[in-house]
Amino acid sequence: MEYESSIAAAQKVLDDFMVAFNARDIPAFEATFNFPSVRLASNTFVILSKGDMKPERFTSGALAEWDHSAWERRSVIHAGADKVHIATRFKRSRKDGRRIGGVLSIYVLTRRSGPWGLKTTTLCAPPPDRHRTPLPSASRCRE
């Protein structure tokens, strides 16, 4: 497979990203990014920089009931020597294991003069008040 090492490195970053996020380990979480990083979610465009992640992020908004997340699907949609795009679906769960919901997303990982890291993320997640409302299949963000 062409770009096999790029894909493996990008998948490892996503593994490390999820482990660090679930552990609420901000330094390890930030180490998975190539800053500045761009995030588009809930129709909001944000440029992330090192130091933007704060502990309260884990207990508010969409993460108010959250305890942990897990990848349900990851599919490479484009790969090159220094950039890999991966379409994903992850689930958010409560402490007792009950599912909060699933989110479709695309992660763009890059290698820029050194390690691989997250450069761009787009999440297809409707506002929290809609997360249980079925959407037409063409506009479905949560599964």
Side-chain angles (χ1 to χ4, degrees), residues 5 13 34 44 48 60 121 133-135 142:
S5 63
V13 170
N34 275 338
T44 303
L48 301 169
S60 62
T121 306
T133 303
L135 299 171
R142 290 189 186 243

Side-chain angles (χ1 to χ4, degrees), residues 53-138:
M53 187 67 169
K54 304 293 183 206
E56 55 272 13
R57 171 78 173 92
F58 295 108
T59 58
S60 62
L63 299 180
E65 299 178 64
W66 172 83
D67 178 72
H68 61 279
S69 296
W71 300 114
E72 293 184 313
R73 179 181 72 224
R74 297 192 315 203
S75 303
V76 174
I77 55 177
H78 169 78
D82 59 3
K83 183 168 58 170
V84 177
H85 298 225
I86 301 176
T88 75
R89 182 175 64 203
F90 65 88
K91 68 177 178 176
R92 292 180 178 145
S93 299
R94 294 174 179 85
K95 191 171 189 167
D96 64 6
R98 288 183 300 136
R99 181 184 177 96
I100 296 170
V103 179
L104 298 173
S105 56
I106 296 174
Y107 291 84
V108 178
L109 300 102
T110 61
R111 179 177 56 191
R112 187 186 62 196
S113 59
W116 282 85
L118 282 163
K119 190 63 177 172
T120 305
T121 306
T122 180
L123 304 172
C124 188
D129 62 330
R130 290 183 24 202
H131 79 248
R132 294 194 177 158
T133 303
L135 299 171
S137 60

Side-chain angles (χ1 to χ4, degrees), residues 39-46:
R39 182 175 189 263
L40 177 61
S42 300
N43 208 26
T44 303
F45 181 85
V46 177

